[in-house]
Amino acid sequence: MVDIWIIVLTAFLLALLIAWSAYAVSSTVIHPRNLRKPVTVFPDQLHLVHENVTFRTADGIKLSGWFIPAPENSGKTIIVLPGRGQNRGEILASTHFLRRFGFNLLYFDFRGAGDSGGTTSSIGYLELRDFDAAFEFLKRNKEEESRNIGVYGLSMGGAVALYETANRPEIKCVAAEAAFESFNSIVARYAWVNKKTPYFPVVQLGLMLIRLRLDVDPEPFSPLYHIAKISPRPIFFIAGSHDAIMPVKEVERLFSNARHPKEMWVVQGAAHGKCAEVGGEEYKQRLSAFFSKNL
């Protein structure tokens, strides 16, 4: 009889541990700790003329950003999307060079990051609403400057960029660096890379809890299911050869599912989010050439 109770208690504790781990996975996605970092890089420090802008999402979140005009009047604007845990100042430092090539630049913090409102994240699904608000802000307030719109996104921002380009014919071209193909796959990879959390049953249950807590399944909004619709508009994929978060093989799967015109560049030696740093001048040349040709 004692043995039975030991088995029952062990099973109960194991089930409780699995449930708690799964809840931790869902909470890390939806209410991540330490995701918000203060903005420490500003256009003034880089001697860039800029306008502080704010706009609200459809669900009422106030987002903060900058509109940086090109040196001369331009009808070409690039929306620049940071990665998860990154704010607009961080991505400004590695992309503001695009302004020199005649592009206006719109930067903003996703919800729950930088100076924007909100505490809930979703690695892409809720952030689509943030992009929608930014896009509508441009169309309403910068009509002449945004006659031609391109998008650049890093990591989560890259996934948002691909989905939005696929579903907004007005966007002329898109560059995506270290973009994930699937919401489910990136949650599983984050869980494994950060805490060696197994997919079955912990992450699997965590994904179920995410769907319950968001009241939606984010997976159908993943780039993999929409990327073919971008053609005939051009896509530029960038990947780092040493990226553990977004391995080259995953970017290659996105590339293979995209239709032409498309191109891909693997930056040798670059880890996640480090392609600009490692790529240096070649990074600037390739990215500016892509937008100059296609925007």
Side-chain angles (χ1 to χ4, degrees), residues 39-42 46 66 87-94 107 109:
V39 178
T40 58
V41 179
F42 296 90
L46 302 170
W66 300 309
N87 60 51
R88 68 191 192 275
E90 292 170 289
I91 202 166
L92 170 71
S94 60
Y107 295 87
D109 291 323

Side-chain angles (χ1 to χ4, degrees), residues 237-253:
F237 295 93
I238 304 173
S241 67
H242 287 60
D243 192 333
I245 299 294
M246 202 56 52
V248 172
K249 64 181 181 180
E250 182 154 334
V251 182
E252 287 175 338
R253 282 197 294 269

Side-chain angles (χ1 to χ4, degrees), residues 74-250:
S74 172
K76 299 177 288 185
T77 294
I78 301 172
I79 303 174
V80 183
L81 305 178
R84 178 176 168 84
Q86 189 182 42
N87 60 51
R88 68 191 192 275
E90 292 170 289
I91 202 166
L92 170 71
S94 60
T95 57
H96 70 87
F97 69 88
L98 289 166
R99 174 183 176 272
R100 301 199 310 264
F101 295 89
F103 303 113
N104 309 305
L105 304 174
L106 177 65
Y107 295 87
F108 67 93
D109 291 323
F110 282 120
R111 63 184 62 207
D115 295 326
S116 288
T119 58
T120 302
S121 176
S122 69
I123 317 186
Y125 168 69
L126 292 174
E127 289 75 12
L128 298 177
R129 301 178 186 177
D130 301 345
F131 182 94
D132 293 342
F135 192 87
E136 293 308 314
F137 167 83
L138 273 180
K139 302 304 288 185
R140 284 195 311 268
N141 298 282
K142 305 293 180 182
E143 185 176 355
E144 288 301 310
E145 294 91 337
S146 60
R147 292 193 303 272
N148 296 285
I149 296 177
V151 188
Y152 164 86
L154 170 63
S155 191
M156 179 186 76
V160 171
L162 291 172
Y163 175 89
E164 290 287 353
T165 302
N167 291 281
R168 287 186 179 273
E170 309 99 309
I171 297 174
K172 304 294 185 183
C173 59
V174 57
E177 178 180 330
F180 61 81
E181 60 175 350
S182 155
F183 176 82
N184 289 352
S185 70
I186 192 58
V187 171
R189 185 169 296 113
Y190 274 148
W192 181 254
V193 169
N194 293 326
K195 294 186 177 179
K196 295 296 183 284
T197 306
Y199 182 80
F200 179 82
V202 178
V203 173
Q204 196 172 45
L205 183 56
L207 288 169
M208 185 186 305
L209 290 174
I210 289 170
R211 292 193 289 271
L212 289 172
R213 295 172 76 177
L214 290 177
D215 197 28
V216 69
D217 182 4
E219 178 64 12
F221 297 88
S222 302
L224 181 64
Y225 312 113
H226 300 267
I227 197 164
K229 295 186 291 186
I230 294 177
S231 177
R233 292 164 294 158
I235 313 174
F236 182 25
F237 295 93
I238 304 173
S241 67
H242 287 60
D243 192 333
I245 299 294
M246 202 56 52
V248 172
K249 64 181 181 180
E250 182 154 334

